[in-house]
mmCIF file of all heavy atoms in Angstrom:
data_model
loop_
_atom_site.group_PDB
_atom_site.id
_atom_site.type_symbol
_atom_site.label_atom_id
_atom_site.label_comp_id
_atom_site.label_asym_id
_atom_site.label_seq_id
_atom_site.Cartn_x
_atom_site.Cartn_y
_atom_site.Cartn_z
ATOM 1 N N LYS A 143 4.258 -27.479 47.201
ATOM 2 C CA LYS A 143 4.304 -26.341 48.112
ATOM 3 C C LYS A 143 5.015 -25.194 47.397
ATOM 4 O O LYS A 143 5.949 -25.409 46.638
ATOM 5 C CB LYS A 143 5.059 -26.702 49.389
ATOM 6 C CG LYS A 143 4.343 -27.731 50.259
ATOM 7 C CD LYS A 143 5.110 -27.951 51.540
ATOM 8 C CE LYS A 143 4.394 -28.920 52.451
ATOM 9 N NZ LYS A 143 5.123 -29.159 53.706
ATOM 10 N N THR A 144 4.593 -23.990 47.644
ATOM 11 C CA THR A 144 5.228 -22.847 46.996
ATOM 12 C C THR A 144 6.534 -22.512 47.682
ATOM 13 O O THR A 144 6.787 -22.901 48.817
ATOM 14 C CB THR A 144 4.309 -21.611 47.061
ATOM 15 O OG1 THR A 144 4.125 -21.250 48.435
ATOM 16 C CG2 THR A 144 2.970 -21.891 46.409
ATOM 17 N N ALA A 145 7.391 -21.785 46.948
ATOM 18 C CA ALA A 145 8.671 -21.328 47.503
ATOM 19 C C ALA A 145 8.695 -19.805 47.504
ATOM 20 O O ALA A 145 9.716 -19.173 47.275
ATOM 21 C CB ALA A 145 9.828 -21.880 46.679
ATOM 22 N N ILE A 146 7.539 -19.213 47.792
ATOM 23 C CA ILE A 146 7.417 -17.749 47.752
ATOM 24 C C ILE A 146 8.368 -17.092 48.746
ATOM 25 O O ILE A 146 9.010 -16.083 48.448
ATOM 26 C CB ILE A 146 5.962 -17.319 48.051
ATOM 27 C CG1 ILE A 146 5.053 -17.803 46.925
ATOM 28 C CG2 ILE A 146 5.874 -15.807 48.203
ATOM 29 C CD1 ILE A 146 3.584 -17.535 47.170
ATOM 30 N N SER A 147 8.479 -17.683 49.937
ATOM 31 C CA SER A 147 9.322 -17.080 50.973
ATOM 32 C C SER A 147 10.774 -17.003 50.532
ATOM 33 O O SER A 147 11.515 -16.119 50.946
ATOM 34 C CB SER A 147 9.216 -17.873 52.277
ATOM 35 O OG SER A 147 9.657 -19.205 52.089
ATOM 36 N N ALA A 148 11.198 -17.923 49.663
ATOM 37 C CA ALA A 148 12.575 -17.913 49.164
ATOM 38 C C ALA A 148 12.679 -17.158 47.850
ATOM 39 O O ALA A 148 13.764 -17.018 47.296
ATOM 40 C CB ALA A 148 13.073 -19.343 48.971
ATOM 41 N N LYS A 149 11.549 -16.639 47.340
ATOM 42 C CA LYS A 149 11.501 -15.883 46.095
ATOM 43 C C LYS A 149 12.059 -16.681 44.918
ATOM 44 O O LYS A 149 12.834 -16.172 44.099
ATOM 45 C CB LYS A 149 12.234 -14.542 46.256
ATOM 46 C CG LYS A 149 11.605 -13.638 47.305
ATOM 47 C CD LYS A 149 12.320 -12.311 47.403
ATOM 48 C CE LYS A 149 11.651 -11.407 48.441
ATOM 49 N NZ LYS A 149 12.347 -10.099 48.579
ATOM 50 N N ILE A 150 11.666 -17.941 44.854
ATOM 51 C CA ILE A 150 12.064 -18.800 43.751
ATOM 52 C C ILE A 150 11.210 -18.472 42.529
ATOM 53 O O ILE A 150 9.980 -18.484 42.613
ATOM 54 C CB ILE A 150 11.906 -20.287 44.114
ATOM 55 C CG1 ILE A 150 12.824 -20.660 45.280
ATOM 56 C CG2 ILE A 150 12.190 -21.183 42.914
ATOM 57 C CD1 ILE A 150 14.286 -20.571 44.966
ATOM 58 N N SER A 151 11.839 -18.180 41.389
ATOM 59 C CA SER A 151 11.104 -17.861 40.168
ATOM 60 C C SER A 151 10.574 -19.134 39.525
ATOM 61 O O SER A 151 10.982 -20.252 39.877
ATOM 62 C CB SER A 151 12.025 -17.138 39.183
ATOM 63 O OG SER A 151 13.016 -18.025 38.692
ATOM 64 N N GLU A 152 9.663 -18.956 38.566
ATOM 65 C CA GLU A 152 9.114 -20.121 37.864
ATOM 66 C C GLU A 152 10.215 -20.874 37.114
ATOM 67 O O GLU A 152 10.234 -22.103 37.078
ATOM 68 C CB GLU A 152 8.010 -19.682 36.886
ATOM 69 C CG GLU A 152 6.741 -19.223 37.580
ATOM 70 C CD GLU A 152 5.618 -18.950 36.587
ATOM 71 O OE1 GLU A 152 5.783 -19.315 35.402
ATOM 72 O OE2 GLU A 152 4.592 -18.387 36.999
ATOM 73 N N ARG A 153 11.144 -20.141 36.484
ATOM 74 C CA ARG A 153 12.237 -20.795 35.766
ATOM 75 C C ARG A 153 13.141 -21.554 36.741
ATOM 76 O O ARG A 153 13.571 -22.678 36.451
ATOM 77 C CB ARG A 153 13.039 -19.760 34.973
ATOM 78 C CG ARG A 153 14.309 -20.312 34.270
ATOM 79 C CD ARG A 153 14.071 -21.595 33.497
ATOM 80 N NE ARG A 153 13.110 -21.469 32.423
ATOM 81 C CZ ARG A 153 13.403 -21.088 31.169
ATOM 82 N NH1 ARG A 153 14.637 -20.790 30.848
ATOM 83 N NH2 ARG A 153 12.457 -21.033 30.263
ATOM 84 N N GLU A 154 13.400 -20.965 37.901
ATOM 85 C CA GLU A 154 14.220 -21.649 38.900
ATOM 86 C C GLU A 154 13.524 -22.903 39.411
ATOM 87 O O GLU A 154 14.173 -23.926 39.651
ATOM 88 C CB GLU A 154 14.551 -20.694 40.048
ATOM 89 C CG GLU A 154 15.565 -19.631 39.677
ATOM 90 C CD GLU A 154 15.695 -18.530 40.707
ATOM 91 O OE1 GLU A 154 14.809 -18.429 41.592
ATOM 92 O OE2 GLU A 154 16.665 -17.764 40.630
ATOM 93 N N LEU A 155 12.204 -22.832 39.543
ATOM 94 C CA LEU A 155 11.460 -24.019 39.960
ATOM 95 C C LEU A 155 11.558 -25.113 38.898
ATOM 96 O O LEU A 155 11.708 -26.298 39.222
ATOM 97 C CB LEU A 155 9.992 -23.667 40.210
ATOM 98 C CG LEU A 155 9.106 -24.801 40.757
ATOM 99 C CD1 LEU A 155 9.650 -25.337 42.070
ATOM 100 C CD2 LEU A 155 7.672 -24.318 40.936
ATOM 101 N N ASP A 156 11.513 -24.721 37.629
ATOM 102 C CA ASP A 156 11.705 -25.697 36.548
ATOM 103 C C ASP A 156 13.079 -26.347 36.653
ATOM 104 O O ASP A 156 13.221 -27.570 36.490
ATOM 105 C CB ASP A 156 11.569 -25.015 35.181
ATOM 106 C CG ASP A 156 10.139 -24.612 34.855
ATOM 107 O OD1 ASP A 156 9.211 -25.206 35.451
ATOM 108 O OD2 ASP A 156 9.955 -23.714 34.016
ATOM 109 N N VAL A 157 14.102 -25.536 36.919
ATOM 110 C CA VAL A 157 15.467 -26.060 37.053
ATOM 111 C C VAL A 157 15.545 -27.029 38.225
ATOM 112 O O VAL A 157 16.144 -28.102 38.126
ATOM 113 C CB VAL A 157 16.479 -24.908 37.223
ATOM 114 C CG1 VAL A 157 17.867 -25.459 37.592
ATOM 115 C CG2 VAL A 157 16.575 -24.076 35.953
ATOM 116 N N ILE A 158 14.914 -26.661 39.339
ATOM 117 C CA ILE A 158 14.902 -27.536 40.515
ATOM 118 C C ILE A 158 14.314 -28.893 40.159
ATOM 119 O O ILE A 158 14.858 -29.945 40.533
ATOM 120 C CB ILE A 158 14.093 -26.888 41.663
ATOM 121 C CG1 ILE A 158 14.872 -25.708 42.255
ATOM 122 C CG2 ILE A 158 13.791 -27.918 42.766
ATOM 123 C CD1 ILE A 158 14.066 -24.886 43.233
ATOM 124 N N GLN A 159 13.203 -28.888 39.447
ATOM 125 C CA GLN A 159 12.547 -30.151 39.081
ATOM 126 C C GLN A 159 13.454 -31.019 38.216
ATOM 127 O O GLN A 159 13.551 -32.232 38.416
ATOM 128 C CB GLN A 159 11.228 -29.864 38.368
ATOM 129 C CG GLN A 159 10.159 -29.291 39.280
ATOM 130 C CD GLN A 159 8.882 -28.951 38.533
ATOM 131 O OE1 GLN A 159 8.929 -28.391 37.437
ATOM 132 N NE2 GLN A 159 7.754 -29.286 39.112
ATOM 133 N N HIS A 184 21.401 -20.142 37.376
ATOM 134 C CA HIS A 184 20.154 -20.489 38.052
ATOM 135 C C HIS A 184 20.426 -21.401 39.253
ATOM 136 O O HIS A 184 19.856 -21.211 40.336
ATOM 137 C CB HIS A 184 19.200 -21.197 37.082
ATOM 138 C CG HIS A 184 18.541 -20.287 36.096
ATOM 139 N ND1 HIS A 184 17.945 -19.100 36.456
ATOM 140 C CD2 HIS A 184 18.377 -20.399 34.744
ATOM 141 C CE1 HIS A 184 17.442 -18.510 35.383
ATOM 142 N NE2 HIS A 184 17.696 -19.283 34.331
ATOM 143 N N VAL A 185 21.295 -22.406 39.059
ATOM 144 C CA VAL A 185 21.599 -23.345 40.141
ATOM 145 C C VAL A 185 22.253 -22.616 41.316
ATOM 146 O O VAL A 185 21.904 -22.850 42.478
ATOM 147 C CB VAL A 185 22.507 -24.487 39.633
ATOM 148 C CG1 VAL A 185 23.001 -25.335 40.801
ATOM 149 C CG2 VAL A 185 21.757 -25.363 38.632
ATOM 150 N N ARG A 186 23.188 -21.720 41.016
ATOM 151 C CA ARG A 186 23.845 -20.950 42.095
ATOM 152 C C ARG A 186 22.827 -20.091 42.835
ATOM 153 O O ARG A 186 22.868 -19.979 44.069
ATOM 154 C CB ARG A 186 24.963 -20.083 41.524
ATOM 155 C CG ARG A 186 26.229 -20.842 41.173
ATOM 156 C CD ARG A 186 27.418 -19.909 41.074
ATOM 157 N NE ARG A 186 27.251 -18.936 39.998
ATOM 158 C CZ ARG A 186 27.693 -19.092 38.756
ATOM 159 N NH1 ARG A 186 28.312 -20.214 38.432
ATOM 160 N NH2 ARG A 186 27.508 -18.156 37.855
ATOM 161 N N ASN A 187 21.911 -19.445 42.092
ATOM 162 C CA ASN A 187 20.890 -18.616 42.731
ATOM 163 C C ASN A 187 19.976 -19.452 43.625
ATOM 164 O O ASN A 187 19.588 -19.028 44.719
ATOM 165 C CB ASN A 187 20.064 -17.881 41.674
ATOM 166 C CG ASN A 187 20.830 -16.761 41.008
ATOM 167 O OD1 ASN A 187 21.814 -16.256 41.558
ATOM 168 N ND2 ASN A 187 20.406 -16.362 39.819
ATOM 169 N N ILE A 188 19.624 -20.655 43.138
ATOM 170 C CA ILE A 188 18.778 -21.553 43.926
ATOM 171 C C ILE A 188 19.487 -21.956 45.212
ATOM 172 O O ILE A 188 18.888 -21.939 46.302
ATOM 173 C CB ILE A 188 18.410 -22.803 43.085
ATOM 174 C CG1 ILE A 188 17.465 -22.424 41.944
ATOM 175 C CG2 ILE A 188 17.778 -23.888 43.964
ATOM 176 C CD1 ILE A 188 17.354 -23.476 40.855
ATOM 177 N N GLN A 189 20.768 -22.312 45.103
ATOM 178 C CA GLN A 189 21.533 -22.695 46.301
ATOM 179 C C GLN A 189 21.594 -21.543 47.296
ATOM 180 O O GLN A 189 21.445 -21.756 48.508
ATOM 181 C CB GLN A 189 22.952 -23.125 45.893
ATOM 182 C CG GLN A 189 23.013 -24.440 45.136
ATOM 183 C CD GLN A 189 24.414 -24.797 44.680
ATOM 184 O OE1 GLN A 189 24.584 -25.426 43.654
ATOM 185 N NE2 GLN A 189 25.422 -24.395 45.426
ATOM 186 N N ARG A 190 21.784 -20.324 46.785
ATOM 187 C CA ARG A 190 21.863 -19.168 47.676
ATOM 188 C C ARG A 190 20.529 -18.903 48.355
ATOM 189 O O ARG A 190 20.472 -18.705 49.576
ATOM 190 C CB ARG A 190 22.304 -17.933 46.883
ATOM 191 C CG ARG A 190 22.293 -16.636 47.699
ATOM 192 C CD ARG A 190 22.767 -15.467 46.855
ATOM 193 N NE ARG A 190 22.029 -15.342 45.609
ATOM 194 C CZ ARG A 190 20.831 -14.772 45.516
ATOM 195 N NH1 ARG A 190 20.235 -14.276 46.605
ATOM 196 N NH2 ARG A 190 20.209 -14.675 44.351
ATOM 197 N N LYS A 191 19.452 -18.921 47.576
ATOM 198 C CA LYS A 191 18.139 -18.611 48.128
ATOM 199 C C LYS A 191 17.672 -19.657 49.142
ATOM 200 O O LYS A 191 17.027 -19.327 50.138
ATOM 201 C CB LYS A 191 17.110 -18.487 47.001
ATOM 202 C CG LYS A 191 17.305 -17.266 46.110
ATOM 203 C CD LYS A 191 16.271 -17.238 44.995
ATOM 204 C CE LYS A 191 16.445 -16.026 44.102
ATOM 205 N NZ LYS A 191 15.435 -15.985 43.015
ATOM 206 N N LEU A 192 17.990 -20.929 48.853
ATOM 207 C CA LEU A 192 17.535 -22.011 49.732
ATOM 208 C C LEU A 192 18.590 -22.427 50.749
ATOM 209 O O LEU A 192 18.357 -23.318 51.554
ATOM 210 C CB LEU A 192 17.132 -23.230 48.886
ATOM 211 C CG LEU A 192 15.976 -23.005 47.912
ATOM 212 C CD1 LEU A 192 15.711 -24.276 47.093
ATOM 213 C CD2 LEU A 192 14.709 -22.582 48.654
ATOM 214 N N GLN A 193 19.768 -21.764 50.680
ATOM 215 C CA GLN A 193 20.874 -22.057 51.593
ATOM 216 C C GLN A 193 21.273 -23.541 51.512
ATOM 217 O O GLN A 193 21.408 -24.227 52.525
ATOM 218 C CB GLN A 193 20.516 -21.661 53.031
ATOM 219 C CG GLN A 193 20.227 -20.175 53.189
ATOM 220 C CD GLN A 193 19.907 -19.770 54.619
ATOM 221 O OE1 GLN A 193 19.846 -20.604 55.522
ATOM 222 N NE2 GLN A 193 19.704 -18.484 54.850
ATOM 223 N N LEU A 194 21.462 -24.001 50.279
ATOM 224 C CA LEU A 194 21.859 -25.379 50.019
ATOM 225 C C LEU A 194 23.267 -25.393 49.437
ATOM 226 O O LEU A 194 23.709 -24.423 48.821
ATOM 227 C CB LEU A 194 20.877 -26.043 49.049
ATOM 228 C CG LEU A 194 19.413 -26.067 49.508
ATOM 229 C CD1 LEU A 194 18.518 -26.608 48.408
ATOM 230 C CD2 LEU A 194 19.257 -26.898 50.778
ATOM 231 N N ILE A 200 19.660 -29.785 46.517
ATOM 232 C CA ILE A 200 18.524 -29.204 45.787
ATOM 233 C C ILE A 200 17.497 -30.283 45.487
ATOM 234 O O ILE A 200 16.289 -30.088 45.676
ATOM 235 C CB ILE A 200 19.000 -28.537 44.477
ATOM 236 C CG1 ILE A 200 19.834 -27.293 44.771
ATOM 237 C CG2 ILE A 200 17.793 -28.168 43.592
ATOM 238 C CD1 ILE A 200 20.459 -26.665 43.538
ATOM 239 N N TRP A 203 15.679 -31.248 48.602
ATOM 240 C CA TRP A 203 14.717 -30.199 48.955
ATOM 241 C C TRP A 203 13.441 -30.372 48.133
ATOM 242 O O TRP A 203 12.329 -30.269 48.657
ATOM 243 C CB TRP A 203 15.325 -28.817 48.709
ATOM 244 C CG TRP A 203 14.412 -27.675 49.067
ATOM 245 C CD1 TRP A 203 14.281 -27.077 50.279
ATOM 246 C CD2 TRP A 203 13.478 -27.012 48.193
ATOM 247 N NE1 TRP A 203 13.328 -26.078 50.217
ATOM 248 C CE2 TRP A 203 12.825 -26.015 48.956
ATOM 249 C CE3 TRP A 203 13.144 -27.164 46.851
ATOM 250 C CZ2 TRP A 203 11.853 -25.176 48.408
ATOM 251 C CZ3 TRP A 203 12.176 -26.332 46.305
ATOM 252 C CH2 TRP A 203 11.545 -25.347 47.087
ATOM 253 N N ILE A 209 7.431 -31.725 45.529
ATOM 254 C CA ILE A 209 7.322 -31.208 44.174
ATOM 255 C C ILE A 209 7.292 -32.370 43.189
ATOM 256 O O ILE A 209 8.151 -33.235 43.234
ATOM 257 C CB ILE A 209 8.509 -30.265 43.852
ATOM 258 C CG1 ILE A 209 8.439 -29.023 44.742
ATOM 259 C CG2 ILE A 209 8.534 -29.882 42.387
ATOM 260 C CD1 ILE A 209 9.637 -28.111 44.623
#
Side-chain angles (χ1 to χ4, degrees):
K143 293 184 178 180
T144 63
I146 294 175
S147 61
K149 298 182 179 179
I150 297 294
S151 69
E152 289 187 11
R153 175 48 61 88
E154 287 169 346
L155 184 58
D156 289 338
V157 171
I158 288 171
Q159 290 177 317
H184 285 313
V185 171
R186 284 199 297 267
N187 288 339
I188 291 164
Q189 290 177 212
R190 175 179 53 81
K191 291 178 180 180
L192 298 178
Q193 299 182 357
L194 302 174
I200 292 174
W203 181 88
I209 295 173

